[in-house]
Amino acid sequence: MPTVPEVPDQAGRLDLAAHIRPGDTVLWGQACAEPLTLTERLMEQRAAIGGLRCFVGAPASGTVRPEHADHVSFLSYCGSGGNRALHRAGVLDILPGHYSTLPYLIESGALPVDVVLVQLSPADGAGRHSLGLAEEYLSAAIDRARVVIAEVNDQVPWTHGTRTLTAAELDLVVHTSRPPAEIAAKQAGAAEQRVADHVAALIEDGATLQLGLGALPEAIVARLAGHRHLGVHSGLIGDAVADLMEAGVITNARKSLDRGRTVTGALMGTARLFGYADGNPAIELRDTRYTHDPEVLAAQDRFVAINSAIEVDLTGQINAEVARGAYVGAVGGAVDFLRGAARSRGGLPIVALTSTVNAAGGGTASRIVANLSGPVSTPRCDAGLIVTEHGVADLRGLPLGERVAAMLAISHPDHRPALEKECPL
């Protein structure tokens, strides 16, 4: 077996141009799973490598900047985090589509991937490296890529999952010791706290949850401290999930599938979450082809999908991508999870948002709108329960006229008269 080249934690000795060709598409783990030493060196060496394309996912670092577009073209499924600066500068192209399709696009070659950069935990006694902080679409990329370059970081947790890597599967290994990128929880405002109260009241003991990231999902999780035997099956989890697992609220004991285990595609939090997940068999990282699989989601009884939106129109159409003309969100996995929850026995497909947002010229703008200002990310046929601080609009089974009345009831009172006038029905 050939010896895998290894480089100590000295980025200056790492020559990526020896492995990456001009015109290659390079993909790496997103958010906290970004191999920072490798991505930093890639941007430093971009001119020496020549023109390349990078699929950047959702960043939790400031590694990639608009000035790097002199030799790099950037592609992502989302406009969150540092991607907003790239999009404002006109150097980020967006791949719209359901999150569940990403690994299949990679697998088929429709989304070509030539080189994968991965951040791994140190190997266990059997020589197996865990994927550390994310699996999701990385597995498909690893299987498809010509070159796999690994940053083995001794500060990355060894996490359980269905995929590990050995030296034989790696083309280059770089050893480092540095804190992974972190995503700290944001403080929820008063309106978000009231939204969280409404959502928490809908959730029964024994339900299995899918959650996003941000102040509102964290506030919802915090409201569940009095619940019992909750489960988690989600594309990602943050620190708040670790808190409820440690408190015995999330036990996964009543899940229909994966009983006893929190299943997720990625860990997106801080050292608190990473430390809790280290060597913990109660947390399992899985491929997007499993976490977002419609049959798996539908088979999970009492599956509660909790997603967010930028705005929702009076008939239930949802824009989760564009705000004030800027691409700041994503199609993401919302439709995947909402459809799964709709088919689950006792499931709840929830979209939660505050009813207003601060307007650019002062005052507020309604997020319940007569007409969307951006694309339809989730069609109204997939809308379930829409929740704001003013209540819950359960659109399931409602015809259009009744939907309008339900949506007006959860809009901000200051904006209802204008919405009634603008209503197209």
Side-chain angles (χ1 to χ4, degrees), residues 164-209:
T164 58
L165 294 174
T166 65
E169 298 170 276
L170 307 173
D171 297 289
L172 177 67
V173 176
V174 179
H175 293 276
T176 65
S177 181
R178 60 187 297 180
E182 295 188 347
I183 300 176
K186 297 179 180 178
Q187 186 66 38
E192 290 167 319
Q193 299 283 7
R194 292 197 296 275
V195 176
D197 288 337
H198 289 306
V199 173
L202 296 169
I203 298 171
E204 299 178 355
D205 288 346
T208 293
L209 310 178

Side-chain angles (χ1 to χ4, degrees), residues 90-112:
V91 298
L92 177 70
D93 206 356
I94 296 294
L95 177 66
H98 303 305
Y99 200 83
S100 59
T101 66
L102 280 176
Y104 298 104
L105 292 173
I106 293 168
E107 184 179 56
S108 69
L111 175 57

Side-chain angles (χ1 to χ4, degrees), residues 238-262:
D239 288 5
V241 169
D243 293 340
L244 289 194
M245 289 183 70
E246 197 166 63
V249 174
I250 295 174
T251 64
N252 298 292
R254 296 184 183 174
K255 290 175 75 175
S256 308
L257 304 175
D258 305 304
R259 188 158 290 184
R261 288 169 288 167
T262 286

Side-chain angles (χ1 to χ4, degrees), residues 42-404:
L42 179 65
M43 292 301 106
E44 290 170 4
Q45 295 185 348
R46 65 191 187 280
I49 295 170
L52 66 149
R53 182 170 76 158
C54 293
F55 186 89
V56 293
S61 74
T63 306
V64 172
R65 300 186 297 276
E67 58 264 32
H68 297 149
D70 54 356
H71 295 283
V72 183
S73 63
F74 295 106
L75 175 68
S76 183
Y77 70 88
C78 71
S80 61
N83 284 352
R84 295 184 184 183
L86 297 178
H87 194 264
R88 282 197 303 269
V91 298
L92 177 70
D93 206 356
I94 296 294
L95 177 66
H98 303 305
Y99 200 83
S100 59
T101 66
L102 280 176
Y104 298 104
L105 292 173
I106 293 168
E107 184 179 56
S108 69
L111 175 57
V113 175
D114 303 293
V115 179
V116 176
L117 310 179
V118 293
Q119 177 178 240
L120 305 177
S121 71
D124 64 6
R128 302 171 301 171
H129 299 273
S130 85
L131 291 177
L133 298 173
E135 177 170 351
E136 38 184 19
Y137 53 78
L138 277 176
S139 276
I142 290 166
D143 292 337
R144 182 76 184 186
R146 184 189 73 249
V147 176
V148 179
I149 302 175
E151 177 174 343
V152 176
N153 184 350
D154 66 11
Q155 296 190 44
V156 167
W158 205 100
T159 49
H160 288 261
T162 55
R163 182 71 183 264
T164 58
L165 294 174
T166 65
E169 298 170 276
L170 307 173
D171 297 289
L172 177 67
V173 176
V174 179
H175 293 276
T176 65
S177 181
R178 60 187 297 180
E182 295 188 347
I183 300 176
K186 297 179 180 178
Q187 186 66 38
E192 290 167 319
Q193 299 283 7
R194 292 197 296 275
V195 176
D197 288 337
H198 289 306
V199 173
L202 296 169
I203 298 171
E204 299 178 355
D205 288 346
T208 293
L209 310 178
Q210 173 267 321
L211 297 150
L213 199 65
L216 182 52
E218 295 278 330
I220 292 169
V221 173
R223 293 297 194 283
L224 300 175
H227 282 60
R228 293 172 53 82
H229 298 301
L230 295 176
V232 173
H233 180 111
S234 189
L236 60 91
I237 61 171
D239 288 5
V241 169
D243 293 340
L244 289 194
M245 289 183 70
E246 197 166 63
V249 174
I250 295 174
T251 64
N252 298 292
R254 296 184 183 174
K255 290 175 75 175
S256 308
L257 304 175
D258 305 304
R259 188 158 290 184
R261 288 169 288 167
T262 286
V263 170
T264 184
L267 307 182
M268 295 191 185
T270 69
R272 189 274 184 272
L273 173 63
F274 308 157
Y276 185 76
D278 188 20
N280 187 347
I283 295 179
E284 186 170 275
L285 293 183
R286 298 295 296 268
D287 190 305
T288 300
R289 288 168 286 195
Y290 185 78
T291 59
H292 291 63
D293 183 283
E295 299 299 326
V296 171
L297 300 175
Q300 195 74 259
D301 291 347
R302 298 183 303 280
F303 180 61
V304 180
I306 305 171
N307 288 271
S308 60
I310 293 169
E311 58 185 4
V312 184
D313 81 5
L314 293 174
T315 68
Q317 294 185 120
I318 297 166
N319 166 25
E321 299 172 73
V322 174
R324 300 172 184 170
Y327 202 97
V328 299
V331 174
V335 172
D336 301 319
F337 289 122
L338 293 172
R339 287 178 177 171
R343 291 177 56 200
S344 162
R345 184 171 60 180
L348 295 175
I350 297 172
V351 170
L353 71 164
T354 56
S355 65
T356 62
V357 64
N358 291 332
T364 64
S366 180
R367 298 175 71 184
I368 307 302
V369 297
N371 298 287
L372 297 182
S373 63
V376 178
S377 311
T378 300
R380 61 194 184 189
C381 58
D382 289 310
L385 292 85
I386 312 298
V387 182
T388 74
E389 71 273 28
H390 299 290
V392 179
D394 188 347
L395 304 185
R396 295 174 296 178
L398 294 188
L400 292 177
E402 293 180 33
R403 284 180 174 223
V404 170

